[in-house]
PDB file of all heavy atoms in Angstrom:
ATOM      1  N   ASP A  35     155.233 206.675 184.628  1.00  0.00           N
ATOM      2  CA  ASP A  35     154.944 205.326 184.938  1.00  0.00           C
ATOM      3  C   ASP A  35     154.793 204.534 183.683  1.00  0.00           C
ATOM      4  O   ASP A  35     153.702 204.493 183.001  1.00  0.00           O
ATOM      5  CB  ASP A  35     153.781 205.219 185.805  1.00  0.00           C
ATOM      6  CG  ASP A  35     153.358 203.797 186.166  1.00  0.00           C
ATOM      7  OD1 ASP A  35     154.041 202.885 185.821  1.00  0.00           O
ATOM      8  OD2 ASP A  35     152.247 203.605 186.732  1.00  0.00           O
ATOM      9  N   LYS A  36     155.803 203.939 183.101  1.00  0.00           N
ATOM     10  CA  LYS A  36     155.656 203.185 181.811  1.00  0.00           C
ATOM     11  C   LYS A  36     154.789 202.029 181.896  1.00  0.00           C
ATOM     12  O   LYS A  36     154.077 201.733 180.888  1.00  0.00           O
ATOM     13  CB  LYS A  36     157.105 202.777 181.287  1.00  0.00           C
ATOM     14  CG  LYS A  36     158.049 203.926 181.019  1.00  0.00           C
ATOM     15  CD  LYS A  36     159.402 203.401 180.660  1.00  0.00           C
ATOM     16  CE  LYS A  36     160.372 204.540 180.292  1.00  0.00           C
ATOM     17  NZ  LYS A  36     161.743 204.086 179.912  1.00  0.00           N
ATOM     18  N   ASP A  37     154.806 201.360 183.043  1.00  0.00           N
ATOM     19  CA  ASP A  37     153.871 200.183 183.186  1.00  0.00           C
ATOM     20  C   ASP A  37     152.384 200.737 183.220  1.00  0.00           C
ATOM     21  O   ASP A  37     151.516 199.990 182.814  1.00  0.00           O
ATOM     22  CB  ASP A  37     154.211 199.393 184.418  1.00  0.00           C
ATOM     23  CG  ASP A  37     155.370 198.535 184.286  1.00  0.00           C
ATOM     24  OD1 ASP A  37     155.867 198.395 183.171  1.00  0.00           O
ATOM     25  OD2 ASP A  37     155.764 197.841 185.301  1.00  0.00           O
ATOM     26  N   GLY A  38     152.179 201.884 183.734  1.00  0.00           N
ATOM     27  CA  GLY A  38     150.860 202.411 183.883  1.00  0.00           C
ATOM     28  C   GLY A  38     150.274 202.630 182.378  1.00  0.00           C
ATOM     29  O   GLY A  38     149.029 202.460 182.201  1.00  0.00           O
ATOM     30  N   ILE A  39     151.179 202.935 181.380  1.00  0.00           N
ATOM     31  CA  ILE A  39     150.636 203.009 180.081  1.00  0.00           C
ATOM     32  C   ILE A  39     150.179 201.671 179.532  1.00  0.00           C
ATOM     33  O   ILE A  39     149.140 201.469 178.838  1.00  0.00           O
ATOM     34  CB  ILE A  39     151.693 203.610 179.141  1.00  0.00           C
ATOM     35  CG1 ILE A  39     152.021 205.096 179.596  1.00  0.00           C
ATOM     36  CG2 ILE A  39     151.352 203.597 177.725  1.00  0.00           C
ATOM     37  CD1 ILE A  39     153.204 205.734 178.840  1.00  0.00           C
ATOM     38  N   ILE A  40     151.059 200.649 179.856  1.00  0.00           N
ATOM     39  CA  ILE A  40     150.659 199.325 179.354  1.00  0.00           C
ATOM     40  C   ILE A  40     149.323 198.787 180.061  1.00  0.00           C
ATOM     41  O   ILE A  40     148.510 198.211 179.370  1.00  0.00           O
ATOM     42  CB  ILE A  40     151.838 198.370 179.755  1.00  0.00           C
ATOM     43  CG1 ILE A  40     153.059 198.635 178.906  1.00  0.00           C
ATOM     44  CG2 ILE A  40     151.388 196.759 179.575  1.00  0.00           C
ATOM     45  CD1 ILE A  40     154.351 197.851 179.306  1.00  0.00           C
ATOM     46  N   ILE A  41     149.147 199.162 181.395  1.00  0.00           N
ATOM     47  CA  ILE A  41     147.951 198.748 182.069  1.00  0.00           C
ATOM     48  C   ILE A  41     146.747 199.357 181.330  1.00  0.00           C
ATOM     49  O   ILE A  41     145.715 198.716 181.167  1.00  0.00           O
ATOM     50  CB  ILE A  41     147.981 199.198 183.533  1.00  0.00           C
ATOM     51  CG1 ILE A  41     149.020 198.312 184.221  1.00  0.00           C
ATOM     52  CG2 ILE A  41     146.706 198.918 184.171  1.00  0.00           C
ATOM     53  CD1 ILE A  41     149.459 198.871 185.598  1.00  0.00           C
ATOM     54  N   ALA A  42     146.874 200.695 181.025  1.00  0.00           N
ATOM     55  CA  ALA A  42     145.790 201.327 180.332  1.00  0.00           C
ATOM     56  C   ALA A  42     145.428 200.638 178.958  1.00  0.00           C
ATOM     57  O   ALA A  42     144.268 200.501 178.697  1.00  0.00           O
ATOM     58  CB  ALA A  42     146.097 202.879 180.093  1.00  0.00           C
ATOM     59  N   CYS A  43     146.430 200.229 178.338  1.00  0.00           N
ATOM     60  CA  CYS A  43     146.231 199.545 176.967  1.00  0.00           C
ATOM     61  C   CYS A  43     145.676 198.263 177.104  1.00  0.00           C
ATOM     62  O   CYS A  43     144.685 197.866 176.339  1.00  0.00           O
ATOM     63  CB  CYS A  43     147.524 199.498 176.261  1.00  0.00           C
ATOM     64  SG  CYS A  43     148.175 201.112 175.673  1.00  0.00           S
ATOM     65  N   LEU A  44     146.097 197.451 178.086  1.00  0.00           N
ATOM     66  CA  LEU A  44     145.501 196.170 178.459  1.00  0.00           C
ATOM     67  C   LEU A  44     144.082 196.157 178.842  1.00  0.00           C
ATOM     68  O   LEU A  44     143.295 195.455 178.471  1.00  0.00           O
ATOM     69  CB  LEU A  44     146.415 195.461 179.489  1.00  0.00           C
ATOM     70  CG  LEU A  44     147.724 194.805 179.005  1.00  0.00           C
ATOM     71  CD1 LEU A  44     148.629 194.469 180.277  1.00  0.00           C
ATOM     72  CD2 LEU A  44     147.556 193.746 178.176  1.00  0.00           C
ATOM     73  N   ARG A  45     143.870 197.224 179.762  1.00  0.00           N
ATOM     74  CA  ARG A  45     142.481 197.408 180.289  1.00  0.00           C
ATOM     75  C   ARG A  45     141.517 197.696 179.264  1.00  0.00           C
ATOM     76  O   ARG A  45     140.332 197.200 179.145  1.00  0.00           O
ATOM     77  CB  ARG A  45     142.433 198.470 181.444  1.00  0.00           C
ATOM     78  CG  ARG A  45     141.041 198.677 181.912  1.00  0.00           C
ATOM     79  CD  ARG A  45     140.476 197.505 182.587  1.00  0.00           C
ATOM     80  NE  ARG A  45     139.190 197.615 183.039  1.00  0.00           N
ATOM     81  CZ  ARG A  45     138.094 197.157 182.270  1.00  0.00           C
ATOM     82  NH1 ARG A  45     138.327 196.687 181.091  1.00  0.00           N
ATOM     83  NH2 ARG A  45     136.828 197.326 182.757  1.00  0.00           N
ATOM     84  N   LEU A  46     141.940 198.547 178.246  1.00  0.00           N
ATOM     85  CA  LEU A  46     141.067 198.857 177.149  1.00  0.00           C
ATOM     86  C   LEU A  46     140.848 197.807 176.202  1.00  0.00           C
ATOM     87  O   LEU A  46     139.823 197.476 175.697  1.00  0.00           O
ATOM     88  CB  LEU A  46     141.606 200.154 176.370  1.00  0.00           C
ATOM     89  CG  LEU A  46     140.689 200.871 175.445  1.00  0.00           C
ATOM     90  CD1 LEU A  46     139.500 201.310 176.194  1.00  0.00           C
ATOM     91  CD2 LEU A  46     141.302 202.030 174.791  1.00  0.00           C
ATOM     92  N   GLY A  47     141.937 196.946 176.014  1.00  0.00           N
ATOM     93  CA  GLY A  47     141.857 195.819 175.107  1.00  0.00           C
ATOM     94  C   GLY A  47     141.103 194.714 175.792  1.00  0.00           C
ATOM     95  O   GLY A  47     140.526 193.801 175.054  1.00  0.00           O
ATOM     96  N   TRP A  48     140.969 194.644 176.963  1.00  0.00           N
ATOM     97  CA  TRP A  48     140.228 193.643 177.758  1.00  0.00           C
ATOM     98  C   TRP A  48     138.789 193.498 177.238  1.00  0.00           C
ATOM     99  O   TRP A  48     138.295 192.443 177.029  1.00  0.00           O
ATOM    100  CB  TRP A  48     140.251 193.975 179.257  1.00  0.00           C
ATOM    101  CG  TRP A  48     139.456 193.005 180.111  1.00  0.00           C
ATOM    102  CD1 TRP A  48     138.071 192.764 180.247  1.00  0.00           C
ATOM    103  CD2 TRP A  48     140.012 191.952 180.926  1.00  0.00           C
ATOM    104  NE1 TRP A  48     137.789 191.819 181.139  1.00  0.00           N
ATOM    105  CE2 TRP A  48     138.952 191.248 181.570  1.00  0.00           C
ATOM    106  CE3 TRP A  48     141.333 191.590 181.185  1.00  0.00           C
ATOM    107  CZ2 TRP A  48     139.192 190.236 182.376  1.00  0.00           C
ATOM    108  CZ3 TRP A  48     141.592 190.502 182.069  1.00  0.00           C
ATOM    109  CH2 TRP A  48     140.549 189.787 182.657  1.00  0.00           C
ATOM    110  N   ASN A  49     138.095 194.707 176.983  1.00  0.00           N
ATOM    111  CA  ASN A  49     136.714 194.606 176.509  1.00  0.00           C
ATOM    112  C   ASN A  49     136.606 193.912 175.111  1.00  0.00           C
ATOM    113  O   ASN A  49     135.733 193.107 174.908  1.00  0.00           O
ATOM    114  CB  ASN A  49     136.146 196.096 176.462  1.00  0.00           C
ATOM    115  CG  ASN A  49     136.068 196.734 177.785  1.00  0.00           C
ATOM    116  OD1 ASN A  49     136.046 196.071 178.840  1.00  0.00           O
ATOM    117  ND2 ASN A  49     136.165 198.068 177.824  1.00  0.00           N
ATOM    118  N   ASP A  50     137.531 194.200 174.272  1.00  0.00           N
ATOM    119  CA  ASP A  50     137.517 193.665 172.921  1.00  0.00           C
ATOM    120  C   ASP A  50     137.783 192.057 173.021  1.00  0.00           C
ATOM    121  O   ASP A  50     137.222 191.309 172.308  1.00  0.00           O
ATOM    122  CB  ASP A  50     138.524 194.263 172.000  1.00  0.00           C
ATOM    123  CG  ASP A  50     138.170 195.570 171.552  1.00  0.00           C
ATOM    124  OD1 ASP A  50     137.020 195.769 171.142  1.00  0.00           O
ATOM    125  OD2 ASP A  50     138.974 196.558 171.608  1.00  0.00           O
TER     126      ASP A  50
END
Side-chain angles (χ1 to χ4, degrees):
D35 177 10
K36 294 179 181 179
D37 280 358
I39 294 173
I40 293 173
I41 293 167
C43 292
L44 285 168
R45 178 63 187 92
L46 196 56
W48 181 281
N49 294 336
D50 286 311

